[in-house]
Short mmCIF file of all heavy atoms in Angstrom, two decimals:
data_model
loop_
_atom_site.label_atom_id
_atom_site.label_comp_id
_atom_site.label_asym_id
_atom_site.label_seq_id
_atom_site.Cartn_x
_atom_site.Cartn_y
_atom_site.Cartn_z
N PHE A 10 36.50 49.04 74.34
CA PHE A 10 35.52 48.34 73.52
C PHE A 10 35.84 46.86 73.40
O PHE A 10 36.98 46.43 73.49
CB PHE A 10 35.41 48.97 72.13
CG PHE A 10 36.59 48.72 71.23
CD1 PHE A 10 36.60 47.65 70.33
CD2 PHE A 10 37.70 49.57 71.25
CE1 PHE A 10 37.68 47.42 69.50
CE2 PHE A 10 38.80 49.35 70.42
CZ PHE A 10 38.78 48.26 69.54
N ASN A 11 34.77 46.07 73.25
CA ASN A 11 34.84 44.67 72.89
C ASN A 11 34.28 44.53 71.49
O ASN A 11 33.62 45.42 70.97
CB ASN A 11 34.00 43.80 73.83
CG ASN A 11 34.34 43.94 75.26
OD1 ASN A 11 35.44 44.26 75.57
ND2 ASN A 11 33.40 43.71 76.17
N THR A 12 34.53 43.39 70.86
CA THR A 12 33.89 43.12 69.58
C THR A 12 32.97 41.92 69.70
O THR A 12 33.26 40.96 70.43
CB THR A 12 34.91 42.84 68.46
OG1 THR A 12 35.84 41.82 68.88
CG2 THR A 12 35.66 44.11 68.11
N LEU A 13 31.85 42.00 69.02
CA LEU A 13 30.89 40.91 68.95
C LEU A 13 30.74 40.52 67.49
O LEU A 13 30.38 41.35 66.65
CB LEU A 13 29.54 41.32 69.55
CG LEU A 13 28.46 40.25 69.65
CD1 LEU A 13 27.52 40.58 70.81
CD2 LEU A 13 27.65 40.14 68.36
N SER A 14 31.01 39.27 67.20
CA SER A 14 30.93 38.78 65.82
C SER A 14 29.97 37.61 65.75
O SER A 14 30.08 36.66 66.53
CB SER A 14 32.32 38.34 65.34
OG SER A 14 33.27 39.39 65.49
N CYS A 15 29.04 37.71 64.84
CA CYS A 15 28.06 36.63 64.66
C CYS A 15 28.63 35.58 63.72
O CYS A 15 29.17 35.90 62.66
CB CYS A 15 26.76 37.19 64.10
SG CYS A 15 25.88 38.25 65.27
N VAL A 16 28.50 34.32 64.13
CA VAL A 16 29.01 33.21 63.34
C VAL A 16 27.84 32.59 62.60
O VAL A 16 26.97 31.95 63.18
CB VAL A 16 29.72 32.16 64.21
CG1 VAL A 16 30.42 31.13 63.31
CG2 VAL A 16 30.74 32.83 65.13
N ASN A 17 27.80 32.82 61.30
CA ASN A 17 26.69 32.37 60.47
C ASN A 17 27.21 31.49 59.35
O ASN A 17 28.38 31.08 59.35
CB ASN A 17 25.92 33.58 59.94
CG ASN A 17 26.83 34.58 59.22
OD1 ASN A 17 27.45 34.27 58.20
ND2 ASN A 17 26.92 35.79 59.78
N ALA A 18 26.36 31.21 58.39
CA ALA A 18 26.74 30.29 57.31
C ALA A 18 27.91 30.81 56.48
O ALA A 18 28.63 30.03 55.86
CB ALA A 18 25.53 30.03 56.41
N VAL A 19 28.11 32.13 56.46
CA VAL A 19 29.22 32.71 55.71
C VAL A 19 30.48 32.82 56.58
O VAL A 19 31.56 32.34 56.21
CB VAL A 19 28.84 34.11 55.15
CG1 VAL A 19 30.06 34.78 54.51
CG2 VAL A 19 27.71 33.99 54.14
N THR A 20 30.35 33.47 57.73
CA THR A 20 31.53 33.75 58.55
C THR A 20 32.19 32.48 59.08
O THR A 20 33.40 32.46 59.32
CB THR A 20 31.16 34.67 59.74
OG1 THR A 20 30.09 34.08 60.48
CG2 THR A 20 30.70 36.02 59.24
N VAL A 21 31.41 31.41 59.26
CA VAL A 21 31.97 30.17 59.81
C VAL A 21 33.07 29.60 58.92
O VAL A 21 33.91 28.82 59.37
CB VAL A 21 30.85 29.13 60.03
CG1 VAL A 21 30.40 28.51 58.69
CG2 VAL A 21 31.30 28.05 61.00
N GLN A 22 33.11 30.02 57.67
CA GLN A 22 34.11 29.52 56.73
C GLN A 22 35.47 30.19 56.87
O GLN A 22 36.44 29.76 56.25
CB GLN A 22 33.60 29.71 55.29
CG GLN A 22 32.26 29.04 55.01
CD GLN A 22 31.71 29.41 53.64
OE1 GLN A 22 32.43 29.40 52.64
NE2 GLN A 22 30.44 29.77 53.57
N HIS A 23 35.58 31.23 57.72
CA HIS A 23 36.80 32.03 57.77
C HIS A 23 37.29 32.25 59.21
O HIS A 23 37.54 33.40 59.60
CB HIS A 23 36.55 33.38 57.08
CG HIS A 23 35.96 33.28 55.72
ND1 HIS A 23 36.70 32.93 54.60
CD2 HIS A 23 34.68 33.46 55.29
CE1 HIS A 23 35.91 32.92 53.55
NE2 HIS A 23 34.69 33.22 53.92
N PRO A 24 37.45 31.22 60.02
CA PRO A 24 37.77 31.42 61.44
C PRO A 24 39.08 32.16 61.68
O PRO A 24 39.12 33.15 62.42
CB PRO A 24 37.82 30.00 62.00
CG PRO A 24 38.02 29.10 60.81
CD PRO A 24 37.31 29.78 59.68
N VAL A 25 40.17 31.70 61.10
CA VAL A 25 41.48 32.29 61.36
C VAL A 25 41.55 33.70 60.78
O VAL A 25 42.10 34.62 61.40
CB VAL A 25 42.60 31.40 60.81
CG1 VAL A 25 43.96 32.07 60.97
CG2 VAL A 25 42.60 30.04 61.52
N LYS A 26 41.00 33.87 59.59
CA LYS A 26 40.97 35.18 58.95
C LYS A 26 40.25 36.20 59.82
O LYS A 26 40.71 37.33 60.02
CB LYS A 26 40.29 35.06 57.59
CG LYS A 26 40.29 36.33 56.75
CD LYS A 26 39.62 36.05 55.41
CE LYS A 26 39.71 37.23 54.48
NZ LYS A 26 39.07 36.91 53.15
N ILE A 27 39.10 35.81 60.38
CA ILE A 27 38.32 36.70 61.24
C ILE A 27 39.07 36.99 62.53
O ILE A 27 39.13 38.13 62.99
CB ILE A 27 36.92 36.10 61.52
CG1 ILE A 27 36.09 36.10 60.23
CG2 ILE A 27 36.21 36.85 62.63
CD1 ILE A 27 34.77 35.34 60.35
N TYR A 28 39.63 35.95 63.13
CA TYR A 28 40.36 36.11 64.39
C TYR A 28 41.52 37.09 64.22
O TYR A 28 41.70 38.01 65.03
CB TYR A 28 40.86 34.76 64.88
CG TYR A 28 41.64 34.81 66.17
CD1 TYR A 28 41.05 35.22 67.35
CD2 TYR A 28 43.00 34.45 66.20
CE1 TYR A 28 41.77 35.26 68.54
CE2 TYR A 28 43.72 34.49 67.38
CZ TYR A 28 43.10 34.90 68.54
OH TYR A 28 43.83 34.94 69.72
N LYS A 29 42.32 36.92 63.19
CA LYS A 29 43.46 37.80 62.96
C LYS A 29 43.00 39.22 62.64
O LYS A 29 43.63 40.20 63.07
CB LYS A 29 44.33 37.25 61.83
CG LYS A 29 45.09 35.98 62.22
CD LYS A 29 45.97 35.50 61.08
CE LYS A 29 46.80 34.28 61.51
NZ LYS A 29 47.66 33.77 60.41
N PHE A 30 41.90 39.34 61.91
CA PHE A 30 41.36 40.67 61.61
C PHE A 30 40.95 41.40 62.89
O PHE A 30 41.28 42.57 63.07
CB PHE A 30 40.17 40.54 60.66
CG PHE A 30 39.37 41.82 60.55
CD1 PHE A 30 39.79 42.87 59.77
CD2 PHE A 30 38.18 41.96 61.26
CE1 PHE A 30 39.06 44.05 59.69
CE2 PHE A 30 37.44 43.13 61.19
CZ PHE A 30 37.88 44.18 60.40
N LEU A 31 40.22 40.71 63.76
CA LEU A 31 39.75 41.35 64.99
C LEU A 31 40.92 41.80 65.85
O LEU A 31 40.87 42.87 66.47
CB LEU A 31 38.82 40.41 65.76
CG LEU A 31 37.49 40.08 65.07
CD1 LEU A 31 36.75 38.98 65.82
CD2 LEU A 31 36.61 41.32 64.94
N LYS A 32 41.95 41.02 65.90
CA LYS A 32 43.16 41.44 66.63
C LYS A 32 43.79 42.67 65.97
O LYS A 32 44.26 43.58 66.64
CB LYS A 32 44.18 40.30 66.71
CG LYS A 32 43.78 39.15 67.61
CD LYS A 32 44.99 38.30 68.00
CE LYS A 32 45.66 37.68 66.78
NZ LYS A 32 46.88 36.91 67.16
N SER A 33 43.77 42.68 64.63
CA SER A 33 44.43 43.77 63.91
C SER A 33 43.75 45.12 64.12
O SER A 33 44.40 46.17 64.00
CB SER A 33 44.49 43.46 62.41
OG SER A 33 43.21 43.62 61.79
N ILE A 34 42.45 45.11 64.43
CA ILE A 34 41.75 46.38 64.65
C ILE A 34 41.78 46.80 66.11
O ILE A 34 41.15 47.78 66.50
CB ILE A 34 40.29 46.33 64.14
CG1 ILE A 34 39.46 45.30 64.92
CG2 ILE A 34 40.25 46.06 62.64
CD1 ILE A 34 37.97 45.35 64.59
N GLY A 35 42.52 46.05 66.94
CA GLY A 35 42.70 46.46 68.32
C GLY A 35 41.78 45.83 69.33
O GLY A 35 41.76 46.22 70.50
N SER A 36 40.99 44.82 68.92
CA SER A 36 40.09 44.17 69.86
C SER A 36 40.88 43.25 70.78
O SER A 36 41.63 42.38 70.32
CB SER A 36 39.02 43.37 69.12
OG SER A 36 38.14 42.74 70.04
N LYS A 37 40.69 43.42 72.07
CA LYS A 37 41.35 42.58 73.07
C LYS A 37 40.39 41.57 73.69
O LYS A 37 40.81 40.63 74.36
CB LYS A 37 41.93 43.44 74.20
CG LYS A 37 42.94 44.48 73.73
CD LYS A 37 44.22 43.86 73.24
CE LYS A 37 45.27 44.91 72.93
NZ LYS A 37 46.48 44.33 72.33
N TYR A 38 39.09 41.79 73.48
CA TYR A 38 38.08 40.90 74.05
C TYR A 38 37.08 40.57 72.96
O TYR A 38 36.38 41.46 72.47
CB TYR A 38 37.40 41.56 75.25
CG TYR A 38 36.56 40.60 76.06
CD1 TYR A 38 37.10 39.88 77.11
CD2 TYR A 38 35.22 40.39 75.74
CE1 TYR A 38 36.34 38.99 77.85
CE2 TYR A 38 34.45 39.49 76.47
CZ TYR A 38 35.01 38.80 77.52
OH TYR A 38 34.25 37.91 78.25
N LEU A 39 37.00 39.31 72.59
CA LEU A 39 36.21 38.89 71.44
C LEU A 39 35.04 38.00 71.87
O LEU A 39 35.21 37.09 72.69
CB LEU A 39 37.09 38.09 70.46
CG LEU A 39 38.10 38.82 69.60
CD1 LEU A 39 39.11 39.62 70.40
CD2 LEU A 39 38.86 37.80 68.74
N GLN A 40 33.89 38.30 71.34
CA GLN A 40 32.72 37.44 71.54
C GLN A 40 32.27 36.88 70.19
O GLN A 40 32.16 37.62 69.22
CB GLN A 40 31.55 38.23 72.15
CG GLN A 40 31.83 38.84 73.50
CD GLN A 40 30.65 39.64 74.00
OE1 GLN A 40 29.56 39.12 74.23
NE2 GLN A 40 30.86 40.94 74.16
N PHE A 41 32.01 35.59 70.16
CA PHE A 41 31.49 34.94 68.97
C PHE A 41 30.11 34.38 69.29
O PHE A 41 29.96 33.56 70.20
CB PHE A 41 32.43 33.84 68.49
CG PHE A 41 33.76 34.36 68.03
CD1 PHE A 41 34.91 34.17 68.81
CD2 PHE A 41 33.88 35.04 66.85
CE1 PHE A 41 36.14 34.66 68.39
CE2 PHE A 41 35.11 35.54 66.42
CZ PHE A 41 36.23 35.35 67.19
N ILE A 42 29.11 34.81 68.55
CA ILE A 42 27.72 34.43 68.79
C ILE A 42 27.23 33.57 67.65
O ILE A 42 27.15 34.04 66.50
CB ILE A 42 26.81 35.67 68.94
CG1 ILE A 42 27.35 36.63 70.01
CG2 ILE A 42 25.38 35.23 69.26
CD1 ILE A 42 27.42 36.06 71.39
N PRO A 43 26.88 32.31 67.89
CA PRO A 43 26.39 31.46 66.80
C PRO A 43 24.97 31.85 66.39
O PRO A 43 24.10 32.07 67.25
CB PRO A 43 26.43 30.05 67.40
CG PRO A 43 26.26 30.27 68.89
CD PRO A 43 26.94 31.59 69.18
N ILE A 44 24.73 31.94 65.11
CA ILE A 44 23.39 32.19 64.59
C ILE A 44 22.69 30.85 64.42
O ILE A 44 23.05 30.05 63.56
CB ILE A 44 23.44 32.95 63.25
CG1 ILE A 44 24.10 34.33 63.45
CG2 ILE A 44 22.04 33.11 62.66
CD1 ILE A 44 23.38 35.25 64.40
N VAL A 45 21.70 30.62 65.27
CA VAL A 45 20.95 29.36 65.26
C VAL A 45 19.48 29.69 65.11
O VAL A 45 18.74 29.83 66.08
CB VAL A 45 21.21 28.55 66.55
CG1 VAL A 45 20.46 27.21 66.49
CG2 VAL A 45 22.70 28.31 66.75
N GLU A 46 19.05 29.89 63.89
CA GLU A 46 17.67 30.23 63.61
C GLU A 46 17.05 29.19 62.68
O GLU A 46 17.68 28.73 61.72
CB GLU A 46 17.56 31.62 62.96
CG GLU A 46 18.12 32.76 63.81
CD GLU A 46 17.35 33.00 65.10
OE1 GLU A 46 16.21 32.46 65.23
OE2 GLU A 46 17.88 33.70 65.98
#
């Protein structure tokens, strides 16, 4: 599995926290998708 994380007005405030979390759950391949609406 890969992980896909949307970067929005909330998540953008926590880059390192999110990155470390995704690693902690076993994700080896990370996708970050900016929300531009």
